[in-house]
Amino acid sequence: MSTLPPPPPHADPAPLRSPASTFVEKAAVIAAPGTITFALLYYFGSLYNKAYYSALGVPVEDLELSIQGIVANSTNAVFLPLCALLAGGLILLLTVGWLGRRLSRPENAARRRSAITWLLTVGVVMMLLGLPVYFSNLVGLFPAGWPRRFLPALMVAAGSTLAVFGVHLRLSAGTGVRLRQASPSDRTWLGVGTLLLGLLTLSLFYDMALYVTGLGRGDAQLHAMGGYRGTPWVVVHAYVPLRHHARSIEFTDYGGESAPYRYEYRGFRLLAKSPTRFYLVSYDSRWLDRSVVVLPDDGVAWLEIRGA
């Protein structure tokens, strides 16, 4: 009696993907860039707040600012340079795409090699001129002031951008519409392009941090020169005399009938509030003679806050 051969083994069918897992994967793809963007906004907002309050004489560490407030302050600080970077990046990408299509023709092979050489040479020279400023005091090439602060990093960013375009032209040379096996030389050029992109990102990040810090200090100076407009007026009622050096503050002693808070001070503006302190400034003070009065929130005085 013959027996039938056993059936051939079958691989287990691939597990079906549930809609929930697919949704989670798509959400992760969206959430990762959002998390990075939120972290950058928080970082730049922290830089702005520190520069702003430090310029006015208030330690930002005492204020315990909320995360929402820090991120909200960063949007105004990074909006203009971010728009400029996006517009410049779009123009450069369109230019490089047009240049690459023109140079991809067989009759332009010599011009393509010349363009690659020039882009790499000029880019490396610009990076070599800007990078030493990061690590030394070699700033003779840049005049004092804002050029010395921003131009070195911008020069490195521009040089790395040109070099990246040169690497792009080198890697796309002779590909046409066919797929070809990547050679060791191509992998080397790809690694060089990756390092250049990293240098470009770091340079732009460094310049953005300098810009946000300078903007915070500049806004603080404008706020002080404008008489701290927008901050609320404060009337201080105290039961002991307050020692301060703020000018143009009106003082009134109401005597024993107003005990325990018999002393009144008018002319203050509330600059900031921490959980344990009030930071007050005279309405008449300006940038050069600014003086912050720190009043502990310990019951020695109570503040009557009025509209700005």
Side-chain angles (χ1 to χ4, degrees), residues 150-167:
F150 296 104
L151 284 184
L154 286 177
M155 182 173 290
V156 174
S160 57
T161 301
L162 294 177
V164 166
F165 291 160
V167 172

PDB file of all heavy atoms in Angstrom, residues 150-167:
ATOM      1  N   PHE A 150      28.763  87.963  13.048  1.00  0.00           N
ATOM      2  CA  PHE A 150      27.937  87.138  12.176  1.00  0.00           C
ATOM      3  C   PHE A 150      28.646  86.658  10.921  1.00  0.00           C
ATOM      4  O   PHE A 150      28.336  85.571  10.419  1.00  0.00           O
ATOM      5  CB  PHE A 150      26.673  87.913  11.769  1.00  0.00           C
ATOM      6  CG  PHE A 150      25.767  88.239  12.908  1.00  0.00           C
ATOM      7  CD1 PHE A 150      25.717  89.518  13.428  1.00  0.00           C
ATOM      8  CD2 PHE A 150      24.964  87.273  13.478  1.00  0.00           C
ATOM      9  CE1 PHE A 150      24.879  89.831  14.480  1.00  0.00           C
ATOM     10  CE2 PHE A 150      24.122  87.562  14.531  1.00  0.00           C
ATOM     11  CZ  PHE A 150      24.082  88.850  15.039  1.00  0.00           C
ATOM     12  N   LEU A 151      29.570  87.441  10.380  1.00  0.00           N
ATOM     13  CA  LEU A 151      30.162  87.085   9.092  1.00  0.00           C
ATOM     14  C   LEU A 151      30.980  85.793   9.106  1.00  0.00           C
ATOM     15  O   LEU A 151      30.939  85.044   8.123  1.00  0.00           O
ATOM     16  CB  LEU A 151      31.013  88.241   8.570  1.00  0.00           C
ATOM     17  CG  LEU A 151      30.235  89.422   7.982  1.00  0.00           C
ATOM     18  CD1 LEU A 151      31.199  90.457   7.423  1.00  0.00           C
ATOM     19  CD2 LEU A 151      29.272  88.959   6.903  1.00  0.00           C
ATOM     20  N   PRO A 152      31.769  85.500  10.155  1.00  0.00           N
ATOM     21  CA  PRO A 152      32.533  84.237  10.107  1.00  0.00           C
ATOM     22  C   PRO A 152      31.658  83.007   9.922  1.00  0.00           C
ATOM     23  O   PRO A 152      31.941  82.154   9.072  1.00  0.00           O
ATOM     24  CB  PRO A 152      33.280  84.228  11.446  1.00  0.00           C
ATOM     25  CG  PRO A 152      33.396  85.654  11.819  1.00  0.00           C
ATOM     26  CD  PRO A 152      32.142  86.304  11.336  1.00  0.00           C
ATOM     27  N   ALA A 153      30.599  82.901  10.704  1.00  0.00           N
ATOM     28  CA  ALA A 153      29.725  81.738  10.566  1.00  0.00           C
ATOM     29  C   ALA A 153      28.996  81.744   9.229  1.00  0.00           C
ATOM     30  O   ALA A 153      28.801  80.688   8.615  1.00  0.00           O
ATOM     31  CB  ALA A 153      28.719  81.702  11.719  1.00  0.00           C
ATOM     32  N   LEU A 154      28.596  82.926   8.764  1.00  0.00           N
ATOM     33  CA  LEU A 154      27.954  82.996   7.456  1.00  0.00           C
ATOM     34  C   LEU A 154      28.917  82.606   6.345  1.00  0.00           C
ATOM     35  O   LEU A 154      28.515  81.972   5.357  1.00  0.00           O
ATOM     36  CB  LEU A 154      27.414  84.410   7.220  1.00  0.00           C
ATOM     37  CG  LEU A 154      26.161  84.798   7.997  1.00  0.00           C
ATOM     38  CD1 LEU A 154      25.781  86.247   7.709  1.00  0.00           C
ATOM     39  CD2 LEU A 154      25.002  83.871   7.668  1.00  0.00           C
ATOM     40  N   MET A 155      30.179  82.973   6.493  1.00  0.00           N
ATOM     41  CA  MET A 155      31.167  82.596   5.481  1.00  0.00           C
ATOM     42  C   MET A 155      31.368  81.086   5.462  1.00  0.00           C
ATOM     43  O   MET A 155      31.461  80.469   4.393  1.00  0.00           O
ATOM     44  CB  MET A 155      32.483  83.316   5.748  1.00  0.00           C
ATOM     45  CG  MET A 155      33.561  83.014   4.720  1.00  0.00           C
ATOM     46  SD  MET A 155      35.034  84.032   4.937  1.00  0.00           S
ATOM     47  CE  MET A 155      34.377  85.628   4.439  1.00  0.00           C
ATOM     48  N   VAL A 156      31.417  80.474   6.640  1.00  0.00           N
ATOM     49  CA  VAL A 156      31.541  79.014   6.700  1.00  0.00           C
ATOM     50  C   VAL A 156      30.305  78.351   6.090  1.00  0.00           C
ATOM     51  O   VAL A 156      30.409  77.366   5.343  1.00  0.00           O
ATOM     52  CB  VAL A 156      31.756  78.557   8.149  1.00  0.00           C
ATOM     53  CG1 VAL A 156      31.735  77.038   8.246  1.00  0.00           C
ATOM     54  CG2 VAL A 156      33.080  79.087   8.683  1.00  0.00           C
ATOM     55  N   ALA A 157      29.122  78.891   6.394  1.00  0.00           N
ATOM     56  CA  ALA A 157      27.895  78.319   5.839  1.00  0.00           C
ATOM     57  C   ALA A 157      27.866  78.453   4.315  1.00  0.00           C
ATOM     58  O   ALA A 157      27.508  77.505   3.600  1.00  0.00           O
ATOM     59  CB  ALA A 157      26.676  79.009   6.452  1.00  0.00           C
ATOM     60  N   ALA A 158      28.260  79.626   3.805  1.00  0.00           N
ATOM     61  CA  ALA A 158      28.272  79.812   2.355  1.00  0.00           C
ATOM     62  C   ALA A 158      29.316  78.911   1.693  1.00  0.00           C
ATOM     63  O   ALA A 158      29.061  78.314   0.636  1.00  0.00           O
ATOM     64  CB  ALA A 158      28.544  81.277   2.020  1.00  0.00           C
ATOM     65  N   GLY A 159      30.494  78.794   2.312  1.00  0.00           N
ATOM     66  CA  GLY A 159      31.525  77.931   1.743  1.00  0.00           C
ATOM     67  C   GLY A 159      31.121  76.473   1.735  1.00  0.00           C
ATOM     68  O   GLY A 159      31.322  75.766   0.735  1.00  0.00           O
ATOM     69  N   SER A 160      30.533  76.008   2.822  1.00  0.00           N
ATOM     70  CA  SER A 160      30.088  74.611   2.856  1.00  0.00           C
ATOM     71  C   SER A 160      28.953  74.370   1.870  1.00  0.00           C
ATOM     72  O   SER A 160      28.842  73.293   1.279  1.00  0.00           O
ATOM     73  CB  SER A 160      29.658  74.234   4.273  1.00  0.00           C
ATOM     74  OG  SER A 160      28.637  75.105   4.737  1.00  0.00           O
ATOM     75  N   THR A 161      28.107  75.388   1.658  1.00  0.00           N
ATOM     76  CA  THR A 161      27.035  75.242   0.668  1.00  0.00           C
ATOM     77  C   THR A 161      27.598  75.080  -0.738  1.00  0.00           C
ATOM     78  O   THR A 161      27.160  74.212  -1.509  1.00  0.00           O
ATOM     79  CB  THR A 161      26.102  76.466   0.720  1.00  0.00           C
ATOM     80  OG1 THR A 161      25.551  76.591   2.038  1.00  0.00           O
ATOM     81  CG2 THR A 161      24.972  76.320  -0.281  1.00  0.00           C
ATOM     82  N   LEU A 162      28.573  75.911  -1.094  1.00  0.00           N
ATOM     83  CA  LEU A 162      29.204  75.778  -2.409  1.00  0.00           C
ATOM     84  C   LEU A 162      29.884  74.422  -2.568  1.00  0.00           C
ATOM     85  O   LEU A 162      29.795  73.780  -3.626  1.00  0.00           O
ATOM     86  CB  LEU A 162      30.218  76.901  -2.612  1.00  0.00           C
ATOM     87  CG  LEU A 162      29.662  78.323  -2.701  1.00  0.00           C
ATOM     88  CD1 LEU A 162      30.798  79.327  -2.837  1.00  0.00           C
ATOM     89  CD2 LEU A 162      28.694  78.450  -3.868  1.00  0.00           C
ATOM     90  N   ALA A 163      30.565  73.972  -1.513  1.00  0.00           N
ATOM     91  CA  ALA A 163      31.225  72.679  -1.584  1.00  0.00           C
ATOM     92  C   ALA A 163      30.213  71.536  -1.711  1.00  0.00           C
ATOM     93  O   ALA A 163      30.448  70.557  -2.430  1.00  0.00           O
ATOM     94  CB  ALA A 163      32.110  72.474  -0.354  1.00  0.00           C
ATOM     95  N   VAL A 164      29.079  71.658  -1.013  1.00  0.00           N
ATOM     96  CA  VAL A 164      28.032  70.632  -1.137  1.00  0.00           C
ATOM     97  C   VAL A 164      27.508  70.574  -2.567  1.00  0.00           C
ATOM     98  O   VAL A 164      27.270  69.488  -3.121  1.00  0.00           O
ATOM     99  CB  VAL A 164      26.890  70.920  -0.139  1.00  0.00           C
ATOM    100  CG1 VAL A 164      25.650  70.090  -0.471  1.00  0.00           C
ATOM    101  CG2 VAL A 164      27.341  70.596   1.276  1.00  0.00           C
ATOM    102  N   PHE A 165      27.336  71.723  -3.201  1.00  0.00           N
ATOM    103  CA  PHE A 165      26.879  71.728  -4.587  1.00  0.00           C
ATOM    104  C   PHE A 165      27.921  71.101  -5.509  1.00  0.00           C
ATOM    105  O   PHE A 165      27.577  70.406  -6.476  1.00  0.00           O
ATOM    106  CB  PHE A 165      26.579  73.160  -5.026  1.00  0.00           C
ATOM    107  CG  PHE A 165      25.377  73.746  -4.354  1.00  0.00           C
ATOM    108  CD1 PHE A 165      25.185  75.116  -4.299  1.00  0.00           C
ATOM    109  CD2 PHE A 165      24.431  72.926  -3.775  1.00  0.00           C
ATOM    110  CE1 PHE A 165      24.072  75.648  -3.671  1.00  0.00           C
ATOM    111  CE2 PHE A 165      23.310  73.444  -3.145  1.00  0.00           C
ATOM    112  CZ  PHE A 165      23.133  74.811  -3.095  1.00  0.00           C
ATOM    113  N   GLY A 166      29.201  71.360  -5.227  1.00  0.00           N
ATOM    114  CA  GLY A 166      30.235  70.707  -6.010  1.00  0.00           C
ATOM    115  C   GLY A 166      30.206  69.200  -5.862  1.00  0.00           C
ATOM    116  O   GLY A 166      30.353  68.455  -6.847  1.00  0.00           O
ATOM    117  N   VAL A 167      30.010  68.709  -4.626  1.00  0.00           N
ATOM    118  CA  VAL A 167      29.904  67.267  -4.396  1.00  0.00           C
ATOM    119  C   VAL A 167      28.674  66.710  -5.112  1.00  0.00           C
ATOM    120  O   VAL A 167      28.707  65.603  -5.684  1.00  0.00           O
ATOM    121  CB  VAL A 167      29.851  66.984  -2.889  1.00  0.00           C
ATOM    122  CG1 VAL A 167      29.550  65.514  -2.624  1.00  0.00           C
ATOM    123  CG2 VAL A 167      31.179  67.362  -2.237  1.00  0.00           C
TER     124      VAL A 167
END
